[in-house]
Amino acid sequence: MDTLFFENPSAEEILRAGEMIKSGGLVAFPTETVYGLGANALDAEASAKIYAAKGRPSDNPLIIHLADPSDAEKYAFTTPEFQRLAERFMPGPLTVIMKKREIIPRTVTGGLDTVAVRVPSHPTANALIRAAGVPIAAPSANLSGKPSPTSAAHVVRDMFGRIDAIIGGSDAEIGVESTIVTLAGEVPCVLRPGFVTPEELREVLPEVEVSPAVTGRYEGVPLSPGMRYKHYSPRASVTILDGEYSHIAAFLADRPECGKLCFAGDAEILAMPNSREYGEKDDPSSQAHLLFSRLREFDDLPEITEIYARKPSSGGVGLAVLNRLIRAAGFNVKTL
Ligand code: TXA
Ligand code: MG
């Protein structure tokens, strides 16, 4: 398939991309979290094409992206909790799950009777949704299982030739996908941590749980089907290293051939071969911003078959960083 690349999109090109979506095409676009792969969320066939382009299991539901939170009631049975969340966090990196209305096809929701709704703050995303005139179903624009794309180059690498168009832009500001909270159960529950933290959600809703699947291996039926699949994985295998810095540095010194992910100030490790920093130790937002692109950089080094990563702390946005890294590592944590 020929893929158009709108590297620095003009207003006209965004209108054209909106037309493509409306008429059943697939268009990748930047958001503040990661790049998305969009299709018309009201068109069951168009949404089904997303699964094929990503190589994604079709029971893993998609998030629908809206230009304005007031549109949500057309597609979901909104609640007072949703209104409070929308007022505080939308547009922005928060996705809310509610009971869906009939108009959203079940191919979009993986057969579930709920729908995930997000209002991205990125101006290109917003302009594209307005140009399409329909809600846009969009997963992250990576091949299934790969780290989510945080740059246009990542999207080109994974999706060129597989979709109708790619809209470029700068690197994703946040770097990890949106926080997902479900309002479909008894108590609001975070299914995927992101830039909006559980603490911040609790400032708006009296009670918010965090799913045990966020940092654990989940036994039983997951609330979010995406939690079942191996995720965010570079080609090499990943192991998280937990423990004192000096122990970690000594362990890595013996392994020049392995990839190493550490923090910006870790001078001793950074001086070793094949090492990269992913942000400041005490600044989880800087880690979120870099993690996926660093994991992808190791895919360009064919001799690397094993990557070791220093464990991030789990406070605030750190919970999202740890969640992604734990999945990239397939729950493989080594204590030193
Ligand atoms: O930041 C983001 O959310 C990005 C950008 C593009 O907006 N999108 C994104 O989509 O991360 P995706 O498809 O990669 O992840 C969506 C997650 C999946 O884990 C899926 O299982 C879950 O949301 N999900 C979607 N609808 C759901 C529903 N009705 N119930 C439970 N989980 C749902
Ligand atoms: Mg994804």
Side-chain angles (χ1 to χ4, degrees):
M1 178 190 284
D2 286 336
T3 301
L4 296 174
F5 184 28
F6 304 129
E7 196 168 357
N8 294 300
S10 63
E12 264 167 29
E13 286 170 330
I14 289 179
L15 288 177
R16 191 169 161 204
E19 278 301 321
M20 293 167 99
I21 288 203
K22 193 176 181 181
S23 58
L26 298 185
V27 178
F29 60 97
T31 86
E32 69 278 20
T33 55
V34 300
Y35 277 71
L37 172 56
N40 181 347
L42 305 180
D43 179 340
E45 261 171 56
S47 300
K49 285 200 261 176
I50 287 179
Y51 295 107
K54 280 182 63 93
R56 172 176 174 133
S58 62
D59 62 346
N60 194 1
L62 306 171
I63 295 172
I64 71 166
H65 295 66
L66 308 176
D68 193 288
S70 64
D71 293 333
E73 65 180 43
K74 296 188 223 164
Y75 310 109
F77 292 95
T78 59
T79 62
E81 282 88 359
F82 172 78
Q83 303 305 344
R84 289 212 286 277
L85 290 172
E87 221 166 89
R88 167 81 187 267
F89 299 110
M90 291 184 181
L94 179 69
T95 295
V96 181
I97 294 174
M98 292 167 284
K99 288 271 176 265
K100 81 174 195 69
R101 290 191 191 269
E102 205 57 44
I103 185 169
I104 297 294
R106 278 182 191 264
T107 36
V108 169
T109 62
L112 299 174
D113 63 358
T114 53
V115 64
V117 172
R118 159 156 142 76
V119 182
S121 62
H122 195 293
T124 304
N126 186 274
L128 180 67
I129 300 164
R130 289 183 192 281
V134 292
I136 296 184
S140 47
N142 52 287
L143 290 173
S144 188
K146 286 278 154 206
S148 293
T150 56
S151 75
H154 297 158
V155 180
V156 168
R157 168 164 297 198
D158 279 15
M159 289 298 156
F160 204 83
R162 303 175 76 94
I163 62 177
D164 296 286
I166 295 171
I167 302 178
S170 43
D171 291 355
E173 200 181 314
I174 292 175
V176 293
E177 308 85 343
S178 60
T179 304
I180 301 181
V181 62
T182 180
L183 300 179
E186 300 239 310
V187 177
C189 181
V190 174
L191 303 183
R192 180 175 73 182
F195 193 76
V196 175
T197 63
E199 296 77 23
E200 288 173 317
L201 294 172
R202 288 185 192 115
E203 287 168 14
V204 178
L205 302 179
E207 209 183 341
V208 178
E209 292 176 343
V210 176
S211 165
V214 160
T215 51
R217 208 189 270 276
Y218 200 72
E219 314 290 343
V221 182
L223 286 172
S224 180
M227 291 192 175
R228 271 202 308 270
Y229 308 113
K230 187 165 184 198
H231 249 89
Y232 315 117
S233 303
R235 188 181 36 70
S237 66
V238 179
T239 302
I240 297 175
L241 296 179
D242 192 9
E244 268 179 49
Y245 175 69
S246 59
H247 296 177
I248 292 174
F251 177 86
L252 292 175
D254 289 338
R255 290 168 175 76
E257 73 290 355
C258 293
K260 301 165 188 71
L261 277 179
C262 61
F263 299 123
D266 298 352
E268 202 182 335
I269 300 176
L270 284 170
M272 298 174 194
N274 301 314
S275 83
R276 303 270 191 286
E277 52 94 359
Y278 75 108
E280 305 282 336
K281 184 170 182 294
D282 298 317
D283 178 8
S285 299
S286 70
Q287 298 161 16
H289 180 67
L290 287 172
L291 178 66
F292 287 148
S293 65
R294 292 300 192 237
L295 287 173
R296 277 177 176 259
E297 281 176 31
F298 287 115
D299 281 349
D300 296 331
L301 305 174
E303 68 281 9
I304 304 274
T305 56
E306 187 129 44
I307 299 166
Y308 290 100
R310 261 197 93 179
K311 191 180 180 202
S313 65
S314 62
V317 179
L319 188 63
V321 179
L322 181 61
N323 167 271
R324 302 316 189 271
L325 199 51
I326 278 190
R327 276 167 176 71
F331 298 92
N332 194 5
V333 181
K334 188 175 177 63
T335 305
L336 294 173

